[in-house]
């Protein structure tokens, strides 16, 4: 059974960089799937951040693209998120998820998200 | 961006009764090349992450009870819970994966009347 687990600091200072890692178990991250980050806040609801393939191909939400970098570590079976220059508006629960389906996001064909990790709350505050 | 709008924002239904949630997309999510609607439904219980219920607008994910069903095409979709159970209390979201950025509805909270 596929399981995902987010990890990273729960508190980040304004203007700093938010870094999170998602550990994947039960399947190789080098499978055909894409892997995604989503966040949830009371203000914006569920917001897709971006996704990544083990080949290194990425697909980012244009609203965050200038601040987001995603990467994959095949040896550790993990993928990561970096979000720079954070503000209070970046306070949210952050989720990682596997994408189901055969879509290739960089070609404009997407996938649903399943399963999701339990999420990690990140607060941006000094 | 495709805007997903759900209605109602919340509803209270008696146990054993039907719950109906609507989702409208600002443009069609029907992909002409395979005639599939690029829409999914999720359930989020308090304190938990969202869980996939339905994809391709009407295909139930493995293990999801058959009282959950999805319908619709193009821009108008419906999630129906045919006989509401206590464990169905949750917030339900629709999501389009037709056009990037993938977007979600604002959620519909289902409670017991």
């Amino acid at each position: 059974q596929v399981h995902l687990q987010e990890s990273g600091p729960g508190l980040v200072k304004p203007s700093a960089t938010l870094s999170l890692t998602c550990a994947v178990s039960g399947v190789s991250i080098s499978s055909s799937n894409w892997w995604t980050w989503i966040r949830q806040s009371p203000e914006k609801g569920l917001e897709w951040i971006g996704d990544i393939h083990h080949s290194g191909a990425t697909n980012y939400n244009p609203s965050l693209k200038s601040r987001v970098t995603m990467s994959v570590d095949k040896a550790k079976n993990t993928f990561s998120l970096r979000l720079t220059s954070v503000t209070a508006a970046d306070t949210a629960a952050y989720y990682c998820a596997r994408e189901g389906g055969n879509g290739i996001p960089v070609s404009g064909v997407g996938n649903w998200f399943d399963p999701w990790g339990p999420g990690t709350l990140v607060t941006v505050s000094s | 961006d495709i805007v997903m709008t759900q209605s109602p924002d919340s509803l209270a239904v008696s146990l054993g009764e039907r719950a109906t949630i609507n989702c409208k997309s600002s443009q069609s999510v029907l992909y002409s090349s395979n005639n599939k609607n690029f829409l999914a439904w999720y359930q989020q219980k308090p304190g938990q992450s969202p869980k996939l219920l339905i994809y391709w607008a009407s295909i139930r994910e493995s293990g999801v009870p058959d009282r959950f069903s999805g319908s619709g095409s193009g821009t108008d979709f419906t999630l129906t819970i045919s006989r509401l159970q206590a464990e169905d209390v949750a917030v339900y979201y629709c999501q389009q994966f037709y056009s990037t950025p993938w977007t979600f509805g604002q959620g519909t909270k289902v409670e017991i009347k």
Side-chain angles (χ1 to χ4, degrees):
Chain A
Q1 190 166 1
V2 179
H3 182 74
L4 294 88
Q5 179 69 55
E6 306 87 352
S7 63
L11 181 64
V12 181
K13 294 185 185 305
S15 77
T17 296
L18 179 161
S19 295
L20 297 174
T21 297
C22 181
V24 178
S25 59
V27 69
S28 170
I29 204 164
S30 297
S31 66
S32 60
N33 296 101
W34 284 70
W35 306 90
T36 204
W37 287 98
I38 296 157
R39 68 183 183 179
Q40 184 175 31
S41 64
E43 296 77 22
K44 294 186 177 180
L46 287 164
E47 181 181 27
W48 171 74
I49 300 171
D51 44 29
I52 187 166
H53 188 258
H54 67 80
S55 64
T58 56
N59 182 40
Y60 299 146
N61 190 325
S63 69
L64 297 167
K65 189 173 184 177
S66 63
R67 299 194 291 131
V68 170
T69 304
M70 294 182 183
S71 59
V72 167
D73 187 329
K74 297 177 190 179
K76 294 183 177 179
N77 219 44
T78 62
F79 63 105
S80 298
L81 167 70
R82 279 171 47 90
L83 181 66
T84 61
S85 305
V86 299
T87 69
D90 296 309
T91 294
Y94 285 75
Y95 298 98
C96 59
R98 181 184 66 170
E99 295 189 9
N102 298 316
I104 303 173
V106 293
S107 299
V109 180
N111 302 292
W112 53 88
F113 307 129
D114 177 60
W116 298 50
T120 187
L121 178 61
V122 178
T123 301
V124 178
S125 175
S126 55
Chain B
D1 299 6
I2 296 179
V3 177
M4 308 299 290
T5 304
Q6 293 181 227
S7 61
D9 288 336
S10 64
L11 75 161
V13 177
S14 300
L15 289 173
E17 297 300 307
R18 178 185 300 257
T20 301
I21 300 168
N22 300 301
C23 174
K24 189 174 184 68
S25 56
S26 60
Q27 66 185 74
S28 176
V29 298
L30 175 62
Y31 201 54
S32 57
S33 66
N34 61 7
N35 202 37
K36 289 184 176 181
N37 288 283
F38 280 46
L39 183 114
W41 287 97
Y42 301 87
Q43 174 193 64
Q44 185 176 29
K45 295 183 178 181
Q48 297 184 16
S49 57
K51 170 191 169 185
L52 176 71
L53 294 177
I54 287 170
Y55 57 94
W56 297 137
S58 62
I59 306 299
R60 200 179 303 116
E61 170 70 340
S62 176
V64 173
D66 61 7
R67 64 180 179 272
F68 291 92
S69 64
S71 62
S73 185
T75 61
D76 293 280
F77 301 90
T78 300
L79 175 69
T80 301
I81 310 172
S82 59
R83 299 170 303 280
L84 191 74
Q85 305 295 307
E87 61 263 33
D88 300 333
V89 168
V91 180
Y92 293 84
Y93 297 93
C94 59
Q95 176 237 334
Q96 65 82 18
F97 48 101
Y98 177 89
S99 171
T100 189
W102 326 126
T103 50
F104 294 85
Q106 80 278 16
T108 295
K109 186 175 186 179
V110 174
E111 299 173 307
I112 304 297
K113 184 187 292 182

